[in-house]
Amino acid sequence: MAAEVQGTTCYHNWVAQQRADLEELSQALLRDADDEHKLRLVVDKCLEHYRDYTAQRLELSEEDAPSLVCPVWCSSYESSFMWLAGCRPSMGIRLLYALSGTQLQAQLEEYLSGVRRGNLGELSVGQLNTVNELHMRTVREEENLSDRMANLQEDVADEPLVSITADGAGGSSSLDELDGAMDAHACTYGKILEDADKLRLNTLTNLVGIFTPRQAVDFLIASKKLHLSISEWGKRRHSRKLANPNLCMGHC
């Protein structure tokens, strides 16, 4: 229960921090759009907040990793988007591709006329190549982590849990052995989640490092808006379901 309380507090603090960061990023873009130094300071501040959040999650995973995999503090809708207790690292790169294409299309006529805005619609060929390399590397690491999680889940049908279940004695020695096996699984869960969080942090840091300060601010604003929106959509959906239990919300 303590881990759930700590996890809930950590999550809500992070949501509040994202809102504060979003406001600061938006204000920086309004006030200091041409000041790369000031924009970079705001970007670095946001990344530092994410590092702090990752460190807090590490402490939680060491105490009770399964609570992060099945978080009580998220709506079922928000949880459905999760990969290893968080967002999929490559999702940020997919978001970048969408933003870049949308912005380029919207300002194509201006761009051909020589007007430059310095946003994500103006990524250079070199930047795009670097992003593509990061994307491929990130996907490979995601697949590796997914395989590790799959192996861990399959281990439930292996020793020593199967022997304990088949024994059926229910004695104190069996229960002690069961607790030990479950603790070992939770510890392995924690290591996988730690590596997943590291991948999330490293991918974001490397991705932002490819951008100009202006582009980095643009990307972080869009990313935070997306994460906060998913959280709000999930809460609204949950509230509607509570208000009308007979409401079916799963139709395609």
Side-chain angles (χ1 to χ4, degrees), residues 92-135:
I93 301 175
R94 292 287 298 272
L95 173 62
L96 167 63
Y97 289 147
L99 290 170
S100 180
T102 300
Q103 291 183 2
L104 178 59
Q105 185 176 10
Q107 63 197 44
L108 182 58
E109 187 173 338
E110 289 183 347
Y111 186 85
L112 294 176
S113 300
V115 177
R116 296 294 181 266
R117 295 177 179 269
N119 58 22
L120 294 170
E122 298 176 8
L123 292 173
S124 68
V125 173
Q127 285 177 306
L128 287 172
N129 286 337
T130 305
V131 169
N132 185 54
E133 292 172 1
L134 176 62
H135 191 190

Side-chain angles (χ1 to χ4, degrees), residues 22-160:
L22 177 58
E23 177 64 22
E24 187 168 3
L25 287 163
S26 300
Q27 289 299 316
L29 201 56
L30 288 174
R31 296 192 309 261
D32 307 306
D34 297 322
D35 191 326
E36 291 197 350
H37 176 68
K38 289 184 178 179
L39 293 180
R40 178 58 66 186
L41 288 176
V42 176
V43 169
D44 290 344
K45 186 177 180 181
C46 289
L47 291 177
E48 187 60 33
H49 290 158
Y50 191 45
R51 292 188 190 96
D52 292 342
Y53 174 60
T54 299
Q56 293 172 30
R57 282 171 55 90
L58 174 58
E59 294 180 5
L60 290 172
S61 68
E62 290 175 344
E63 181 175 345
D64 185 12
S67 68
L68 291 176
V69 180
C70 303
V72 298
W73 48 85
C74 291
S75 67
S76 58
Y77 184 78
E78 185 175 359
S79 294
S80 70
F81 286 93
M82 288 188 176
W83 171 84
L84 298 183
C87 65
R88 185 177 286 273
S90 59
M91 186 181 76
I93 301 175
R94 292 287 298 272
L95 173 62
L96 167 63
Y97 289 147
L99 290 170
S100 180
T102 300
Q103 291 183 2
L104 178 59
Q105 185 176 10
Q107 63 197 44
L108 182 58
E109 187 173 338
E110 289 183 347
Y111 186 85
L112 294 176
S113 300
V115 177
R116 296 294 181 266
R117 295 177 179 269
N119 58 22
L120 294 170
E122 298 176 8
L123 292 173
S124 68
V125 173
Q127 285 177 306
L128 287 172
N129 286 337
T130 305
V131 169
N132 185 54
E133 292 172 1
L134 176 62
H135 191 190
M136 292 188 293
R137 188 166 65 248
T138 300
V139 169
R140 286 195 298 269
E141 294 186 49
E142 286 177 351
E143 291 173 347
N144 176 263
L145 286 166
S146 293
D147 288 344
R148 287 170 59 189
M149 179 60 84
N151 289 335
L152 178 62
Q153 291 169 334
E154 291 169 358
D155 283 347
V156 173
D158 205 344
E159 298 289 350

Side-chain angles (χ1 to χ4, degrees), residues 112-249:
L112 294 176
S113 300
V115 177
R116 296 294 181 266
R117 295 177 179 269
N119 58 22
L120 294 170
E122 298 176 8
L123 292 173
S124 68
V125 173
Q127 285 177 306
L128 287 172
N129 286 337
T130 305
V131 169
N132 185 54
E133 292 172 1
L134 176 62
H135 191 190
M136 292 188 293
R137 188 166 65 248
T138 300
V139 169
R140 286 195 298 269
E141 294 186 49
E142 286 177 351
E143 291 173 347
N144 176 263
L145 286 166
S146 293
D147 288 344
R148 287 170 59 189
M149 179 60 84
N151 289 335
L152 178 62
Q153 291 169 334
E154 291 169 358
D155 283 347
V156 173
D158 205 344
E159 298 289 350
L161 293 176
V162 170
S163 295
I164 297 171
T165 304
D167 178 46
S172 59
S173 60
S174 295
L175 292 177
D176 289 343
E177 188 177 359
L178 176 60
D179 286 340
M182 292 178 67
D183 287 344
H185 273 73
C187 183
T188 306
Y189 259 126
K191 180 57 179 173
I192 294 173
L193 297 188
E194 177 185 353
D195 290 344
D197 274 352
K198 285 181 180 178
L199 180 58
R200 279 185 271 267
L201 176 59
N202 290 339
T203 301
L204 177 62
T205 302
N206 290 332
L207 185 59
V208 169
I210 297 170
F211 304 144
T212 65
R214 166 63 190 272
Q215 291 169 341
V217 170
D218 276 344
F219 175 78
L220 289 174
I221 286 175
S223 178
K224 291 182 182 300
K225 282 183 176 179
L226 177 61
H227 290 161
L228 290 170
S229 294
I230 290 175
S231 177
E232 288 301 318
W233 295 337
K235 289 178 183 177
R236 185 166 63 247
R237 185 182 177 89
H238 182 66
S239 296
R240 287 170 57 198
K241 184 63 176 177
L242 289 178
N244 187 357
N246 296 322
L247 181 64
C248 182
M249 308 182 74

